[in-house]
Amino acid sequence: MDISKKSRVVYGFWMGGTPCSIRQQTLDELPLYFENLGITFTLITPANIDFYVEQAGEKLHEGFQYLSAVHKSDYLRCYFMHFLGGGYIDIRPPGAGWNKAFDKLETTDSYYAVSQHIGPEDISAAEEWGMTEPRDICRIAAYKIYK
């Protein structure tokens, strides 16, 4: 499988143990959510990370093994966006606007990274997912591989 040709792929990272029920529900729902948008969702876990690192062609930093699960996810977010492009999402209910972010990247050479926040028009969607605190507002981030 050649993953470098997928321009509309969003990665999620779960490097910890068994997720709590709310996170598990989100993990279960994300693939269908993105499938309905025509976007590939790929969950990166300890079980499949070696495949993607091999595809990227760059080794992980030697200190990666010493990071906590949360810090591993933070590191991988940057690593994947730099070497593989696409988008990333925290394991939370998704925000709207993913296709708009990818459209920006695909239609101009001026953008290499796009980040959007849920705006006022998306508040009902946020509330539907139970996001009521400002810290819960999900960011949309998509990246183009720098060439």
Side-chain angles (χ1 to χ4, degrees):
M1 173 165 103
D2 183 5
I3 61 173
S4 63
K5 302 237 185 308
K6 292 183 182 176
S7 61
R8 291 197 177 199
V9 59
V10 173
Y11 297 100
F13 304 95
W14 190 264
M15 302 307 291
T18 304
C20 68
S21 61
I22 293 172
R23 291 283 190 255
Q24 186 61 56
Q25 178 182 351
T26 302
L27 287 169
D28 294 341
E29 293 171 353
L30 284 173
L32 182 59
Y33 171 82
F34 283 108
E35 181 181 320
N36 288 335
L37 295 176
I39 297 171
T40 301
F41 173 73
T42 302
L43 180 63
I44 305 301
T45 67
N48 67 4
I49 189 162
D50 291 340
F51 170 79
Y52 290 93
V53 169
E54 183 178 315
Q55 291 292 309
E58 294 289 331
K59 293 181 180 179
L60 298 175
H61 188 277
E62 62 189 38
F64 178 79
Q65 63 185 324
Y66 302 112
L67 297 174
S68 70
V70 170
H71 291 126
K72 284 179 180 179
S73 294
D74 292 342
Y75 173 88
L76 290 172
R77 178 183 308 154
C78 298
Y79 175 93
F80 271 66
M81 297 306 96
H82 180 74
F83 292 112
L84 298 173
Y88 75 84
I89 186 169
D90 291 327
I91 306 303
R92 295 180 180 204
W98 281 96
N99 278 314
K100 288 180 188 177
F102 282 116
D103 288 346
K104 278 186 182 180
L105 291 177
E106 293 169 356
T107 58
T108 180
D109 288 333
S110 300
Y111 292 107
Y112 284 91
V114 178
S115 179
Q116 298 176 333
H117 296 271
I118 292 177
E121 68 279 4
D122 298 310
I123 293 302
S124 62
E127 289 172 349
E128 181 181 320
W129 282 88
M131 298 184 303
T132 56
E133 298 293 322
R135 65 181 171 76
D136 290 334
I137 301 301
C138 295
R139 183 178 26 188
I140 296 167
Y143 296 79
K144 193 186 306 190
I145 298 173
Y146 183 78
K147 296 178 182 172

